[in-house]
Amino acid sequence: GFSFVYWPFQTVDFVSIKVTQINVNTHTKTKDNVTVTVTCAIQYSVTPQECDDYYFKLHNPHMQISAYVDDCIRSQIPTMTLDESFESKESMADAVKSQVAHSMEPYGIEVHQALITNMQPDATVMAAMNKINAARRQREAAIEKAEADKILQVRAAEAEAEAKHLSGKGTAMMRHAITNGFKSSIESMQESCGLQPSEVVHMMLVTQYMDVLKDFAQSGRATMVVPHGPSALSDVEQQVRGGFQQSLPMTSNSMI
């Protein structure tokens, strides 16, 4: 076939000066005895002016770069706990870049970037970490729910207390109005008819008694059995008067 002879060269090979990336997986153990796999991405290129150093001095660039990365990571991870390792990814990447760049510079390799792309603990450790986080979040959720329930109960109690307070004020005002009405009626009847207070009370009781009977008769939905006869009104009056008389000694004793 057709061939060329490059005299006096015996072999011709090509060296790429493009930026190349290799991923290095390093297995190591943290300070708290957790096995982790760290993936580090190294981006590098060959300096055009130093291609001869790269080609003649390095046998396997990928393997040698990986060795430096492994050495750097395994010298740092064992000094940190798992949580500290996750927090120190940036500083660890800077350390890897600095060490690899310094070590590979004599061979015409320029390191552009070093990135810690993944840090994977053992599967059982990951499951335990997820359970711990889930339990912590559930505890926080339970605390928040309890606080919310407490606020609702406090607000409900305050609302009930305020409602009872207003209801009491309304009842007191109603009774005060009724008392004033009775007082005004008694005074008016005394002035217009010359009746005594006891006679006025008797007439009012009779009137209210008759109004109650009329309301029951008109409602048609309730039945009330009451003793009724010629002396019914006087019996009602005597019962009311007896109640007032029984309450007077109790009122006097409470005032003493």
Short mmCIF file of all heavy atoms in Angstrom, two decimals, residues 186-201 203:
data_model
loop_
_atom_site.label_atom_id
_atom_site.label_comp_id
_atom_site.label_asym_id
_atom_site.label_seq_id
_atom_site.Cartn_x
_atom_site.Cartn_y
_atom_site.Cartn_z
N ILE A 186 -95.01 50.04 90.47
CA ILE A 186 -95.54 50.17 91.83
C ILE A 186 -95.74 51.64 92.18
O ILE A 186 -96.79 52.04 92.72
CB ILE A 186 -94.60 49.48 92.83
CG1 ILE A 186 -94.62 47.95 92.60
CG2 ILE A 186 -94.99 49.81 94.27
CD1 ILE A 186 -93.60 47.21 93.43
N GLU A 187 -94.74 52.45 91.84
CA GLU A 187 -94.86 53.87 92.15
C GLU A 187 -96.00 54.51 91.37
O GLU A 187 -96.74 55.36 91.89
CB GLU A 187 -93.54 54.58 91.83
CG GLU A 187 -92.42 54.17 92.78
CD GLU A 187 -91.09 54.83 92.38
OE1 GLU A 187 -91.06 55.47 91.31
OE2 GLU A 187 -90.11 54.70 93.16
N SER A 188 -96.16 54.11 90.09
CA SER A 188 -97.24 54.68 89.28
C SER A 188 -98.60 54.31 89.83
O SER A 188 -99.52 55.14 89.90
CB SER A 188 -97.09 54.19 87.84
OG SER A 188 -98.15 54.64 87.05
N MET A 189 -98.78 53.03 90.24
CA MET A 189 -100.07 52.61 90.79
C MET A 189 -100.35 53.25 92.14
O MET A 189 -101.50 53.54 92.49
CB MET A 189 -100.10 51.08 90.91
CG MET A 189 -100.22 50.37 89.57
SD MET A 189 -100.41 48.60 89.74
CE MET A 189 -100.59 48.13 88.03
N GLN A 190 -99.29 53.46 92.90
CA GLN A 190 -99.50 54.14 94.18
C GLN A 190 -100.01 55.56 93.96
O GLN A 190 -100.88 56.04 94.67
CB GLN A 190 -98.19 54.16 94.97
CG GLN A 190 -97.88 52.88 95.71
CD GLN A 190 -96.61 52.99 96.53
OE1 GLN A 190 -95.63 53.59 96.09
NE2 GLN A 190 -96.63 52.42 97.72
N GLU A 191 -99.41 56.24 92.99
CA GLU A 191 -99.80 57.62 92.75
C GLU A 191 -101.18 57.73 92.11
O GLU A 191 -101.96 58.62 92.44
CB GLU A 191 -98.76 58.29 91.85
CG GLU A 191 -97.41 58.45 92.53
CD GLU A 191 -96.37 59.06 91.59
OE1 GLU A 191 -96.75 59.32 90.42
OE2 GLU A 191 -95.22 59.25 92.02
N SER A 192 -101.49 56.81 91.16
CA SER A 192 -102.74 56.93 90.42
C SER A 192 -103.93 56.30 91.13
O SER A 192 -105.05 56.81 91.05
CB SER A 192 -102.59 56.32 89.03
OG SER A 192 -102.28 54.94 89.15
N CYS A 193 -103.71 55.17 91.82
CA CYS A 193 -104.82 54.42 92.42
C CYS A 193 -104.79 54.44 93.95
O CYS A 193 -105.74 53.97 94.59
CB CYS A 193 -104.82 52.98 91.94
SG CYS A 193 -104.93 52.82 90.15
N GLY A 194 -103.70 54.87 94.54
CA GLY A 194 -103.60 54.89 95.99
C GLY A 194 -103.44 53.52 96.60
O GLY A 194 -103.79 53.31 97.77
N LEU A 195 -102.95 52.54 95.83
CA LEU A 195 -102.76 51.18 96.35
C LEU A 195 -101.48 51.08 97.15
O LEU A 195 -100.50 51.80 96.89
CB LEU A 195 -102.72 50.18 95.18
CG LEU A 195 -103.99 50.08 94.33
CD1 LEU A 195 -103.74 49.12 93.18
CD2 LEU A 195 -105.18 49.62 95.17
N GLN A 196 -101.47 50.14 98.08
CA GLN A 196 -100.28 49.86 98.85
C GLN A 196 -99.34 48.96 98.02
O GLN A 196 -99.79 48.26 97.11
CB GLN A 196 -100.65 49.16 100.17
CG GLN A 196 -101.47 50.02 101.10
CD GLN A 196 -100.71 51.25 101.55
OE1 GLN A 196 -99.50 51.21 101.79
NE2 GLN A 196 -101.42 52.39 101.63
N PRO A 197 -98.07 48.95 98.34
CA PRO A 197 -97.14 48.10 97.57
C PRO A 197 -97.53 46.64 97.55
O PRO A 197 -97.40 45.96 96.52
CB PRO A 197 -95.80 48.32 98.26
CG PRO A 197 -95.93 49.69 98.85
CD PRO A 197 -97.36 49.83 99.26
N SER A 198 -98.02 46.12 98.68
CA SER A 198 -98.40 44.71 98.71
C SER A 198 -99.58 44.44 97.79
O SER A 198 -99.64 43.40 97.13
CB SER A 198 -98.76 44.31 100.14
OG SER A 198 -99.84 45.11 100.63
N GLU A 199 -100.51 45.37 97.70
CA GLU A 199 -101.65 45.21 96.83
C GLU A 199 -101.22 45.27 95.34
O GLU A 199 -101.73 44.54 94.49
CB GLU A 199 -102.69 46.28 97.11
CG GLU A 199 -103.29 46.17 98.52
CD GLU A 199 -104.21 47.33 98.84
OE1 GLU A 199 -104.13 48.36 98.13
OE2 GLU A 199 -104.99 47.19 99.79
N VAL A 200 -100.28 46.14 95.07
CA VAL A 200 -99.77 46.24 93.71
C VAL A 200 -99.09 44.95 93.29
O VAL A 200 -99.29 44.43 92.18
CB VAL A 200 -98.81 47.43 93.58
CG1 VAL A 200 -98.17 47.45 92.19
CG2 VAL A 200 -99.54 48.75 93.84
N VAL A 201 -98.26 44.38 94.21
CA VAL A 201 -97.58 43.12 93.91
C VAL A 201 -98.59 42.01 93.69
O VAL A 201 -98.45 41.18 92.78
CB VAL A 201 -96.60 42.76 95.05
CG1 VAL A 201 -96.05 41.35 94.88
CG2 VAL A 201 -95.46 43.77 95.11
N MET A 203 -101.65 42.27 92.55
CA MET A 203 -102.28 42.45 91.26
C MET A 203 -101.34 42.04 90.12
O MET A 203 -101.74 41.42 89.13
CB MET A 203 -102.71 43.91 91.10
CG MET A 203 -103.51 44.15 89.81
SD MET A 203 -104.10 45.84 89.69
CE MET A 203 -102.55 46.69 89.54
#
